Amino acid sequence: MADPLVQSGKRKREEESESTQTPGPRGDKAAVGNGTAASTSFPFSGFRLQKVLKESSRDKIIFLHGKVNETSGDGDGDDAVVILEKTPFQVDQVAQLLLGSPELQLQFSNDIYSTYNLFPPRPLSDVKTTVVYPATEKHLQKYLRQDLHLIRETGEDYKNITLPYLDSQSLSIQWVYNILDKKAEADRIVFENPDHSDGFVLIPDLKWNQKQLDDLYLIAICHRRGIKSLRELTGEHLPLLRNILQEGQEAIQQRYQVREDRLRVYLHYQPSYYHLHVHFTALGFEAPGSGVERAHLLADVIENLEYDPQYYQKRTLTFALRADEPLLKLFQEAKKN
């Protein structure tokens, strides 16, 4: 959840195609200026577009790769990724768009129907901008549009293929520890259970600008370290999971007046970073990664572990991998053998 103005980018704005080997684009640096609305500038100079990595007309978002801090324009600068996203309408402000004489350009007119381009005033025309800087080759590949392949991972596959691969990677999650240790984003914490074993921190995901509830999105990050993902959960972790579900729902209802029956509470597998966390989103919001091939409802996870404490050690789990991911190649090679 890095602040959009911070050098290292987001937590998850997790895109559905997020790579399993790449941690969230936050990097290791502590966040600065969290929660501020003051004017600021990018943490680099210049931006020469290299490539459009990905774009979605449905989600009104585009991912750009550029060179920054160039001295001669011959590619000697640093790489950066800039993500531009149109923000949702705010109901309490939308009427201002039509007050007075808004700037319009007529595109089409026929009988009672007409279409215009409306140019909103500056306070209503902001574009959410997420910066990943400096960006590595992994970041560039992470955001590049790729074909997806569905994988069926058995418990043995996890032990013999996935876990050794994860252990071989340098997947820094220092930004997670910065949040848990209050070194970054402390002013954004909505709720905390400080218990080191069964507690967690609840914090808004930066995909949500907190100006409307339609796309509400928060993340619960557990204090306990060493739990990589859903696959490593056992009956031992039931107190932690129950706390996250119950206390997280209560905190959201108290802060935002959103009841538990209007929330989707789930875990990703594979996750975008390997420290156990849980997603809380508005039920009507089609959040990235909420599809059946990736999202596992927390209430179902709890019930499965109550039924069998080793459920996720043994169950075959389905997830999607991008065509360029080394883990996909490992699964394909194992299948040949």
Side-chain angles (χ1 to χ4, degrees):
M1 281 167 311
D3 195 291
L5 306 176
V6 178
Q7 294 183 359
S8 45
K10 70 166 189 173
R11 175 172 21 254
K12 162 149 138 206
R13 283 14 301 65
E14 301 149 350
E15 312 308 325
E16 289 201 59
S17 59
E18 276 182 326
S19 163
T20 59
Q21 82 271 20
T22 306
R26 291 170 159 271
D28 297 343
K29 299 178 181 179
V32 294
N34 294 323
T36 180
S39 296
T40 186
S41 58
F42 287 127
F44 51 72
S45 61
F47 185 91
R48 184 166 61 87
L49 179 65
Q50 297 290 100
K51 186 175 184 177
V52 176
L53 299 173
K54 183 169 56 176
E55 61 87 24
S56 170
S57 58
R58 185 194 69 174
D59 298 326
K60 308 295 188 298
I61 190 170
I62 190 167
F63 299 75
L64 306 174
H65 167 213
K67 284 288 186 180
V68 300
N69 300 334
E70 291 182 302
T71 57
S72 59
D74 60 359
D76 64 334
D78 302 316
D79 289 300
V81 173
V82 175
I83 306 168
L84 303 176
E85 181 179 1
K86 294 289 187 65
T87 55
F89 286 111
Q90 299 172 42
V91 176
D92 60 340
Q93 296 184 13
V94 71
Q96 298 179 35
L97 289 172
L98 306 178
L99 292 177
S101 301
E103 183 180 354
L104 299 172
Q105 286 183 354
L106 178 66
Q107 301 298 309
F108 170 84
S109 179
N110 185 354
D111 193 33
I112 66 172
Y113 303 100
S114 53
T115 301
Y116 302 87
N117 281 341
L118 185 153
F119 299 91
R122 188 172 182 273
L124 301 177
S125 60
D126 58 309
V127 174
K128 179 183 171 185
T129 304
T130 301
V131 172
V132 183
Y133 165 76
T136 66
E137 183 61 30
K138 283 187 176 183
H139 291 123
L140 301 182
Q141 291 300 315
K142 175 187 178 70
Y143 293 116
L144 185 65
R145 183 181 297 279
Q146 296 277 347
D147 290 334
L148 297 176
H149 298 261
L150 213 58
I151 294 296
R152 296 271 292 165
E153 177 196 75
T154 66
E156 288 302 308
D157 288 337
Y158 178 75
K159 295 176 185 177
N160 298 326
I161 302 175
T162 305
L163 185 58
Y165 170 74
L166 296 178
D167 288 342
S168 71
Q169 303 299 298
S170 55
L171 304 177
S172 174
I173 52 173
Q174 183 58 47
W175 65 269
V176 173
Y177 301 148
N178 288 343
I179 293 172
L180 296 176
D181 296 337
K182 312 295 193 310
K183 295 179 180 178
E185 306 187 41
D187 57 333
R188 304 183 70 244
I189 293 175
V190 171
F191 174 84
E192 179 180 16
N193 177 332
D195 188 273
H196 291 296
S197 178
D198 299 327
F200 65 97
V201 163
L202 184 67
I203 191 166
D205 190 284
L206 288 184
K207 282 186 287 295
W208 181 40
N209 62 16
Q210 303 184 63
K211 295 180 179 179
Q212 63 283 317
L213 298 178
D214 291 347
D215 58 343
L216 177 143
Y217 201 143
L218 296 98
I219 299 287
I221 305 175
C222 74
H223 275 296
R224 189 189 302 197
R225 305 187 182 189
I227 311 173
K228 285 185 171 67
S229 69
L230 172 72
R231 182 59 94 174
E232 298 190 350
L233 292 174
T234 68
E236 172 195 355
H237 303 114
L238 280 170
L240 167 64
L241 300 177
R242 291 177 183 134
N243 284 349
I244 291 176
L245 181 61
Q246 179 179 344
E247 296 175 4
Q249 289 175 332
E250 290 173 351
I252 290 173
Q253 178 161 358
Q254 182 176 353
R255 172 68 70 90
Y256 304 108
Q257 291 75 55
V258 177
R259 301 190 309 272
E260 63 180 68
D261 62 349
R262 295 175 56 203
L263 291 173
R264 182 189 293 112
V265 187
Y266 58 97
L267 298 89
H268 280 155
Y269 192 78
Q270 294 276 341
S272 57
Y273 55 94
Y274 290 89
H275 178 99
L276 188 72
H277 57 283
V278 175
H279 304 255
F280 290 74
T281 65
L283 185 58
F285 174 47
E286 295 182 11
S290 58
V292 296
E293 76 281 4
R294 191 176 184 194
H296 299 256
L297 293 174
L298 179 54
D300 291 345
V301 171
I302 291 172
E303 186 170 321
N304 290 335
L305 290 173
E306 290 172 339
Y307 171 75
D308 180 356
Q310 301 299 313
Y311 183 88
Y312 290 101
Q313 315 295 304
K314 300 179 289 186
R315 180 189 164 179
T316 297
L317 296 176
T318 301
F319 54 89
L321 289 175
R322 290 158 47 106
D324 65 337
E325 294 189 38
L327 185 58
L328 174 63
K329 294 179 175 60
L330 294 176
F331 270 93
Q332 291 172 334
E333 292 170 1
K335 190 174 182 180
K336 292 177 183 178
N337 301 330

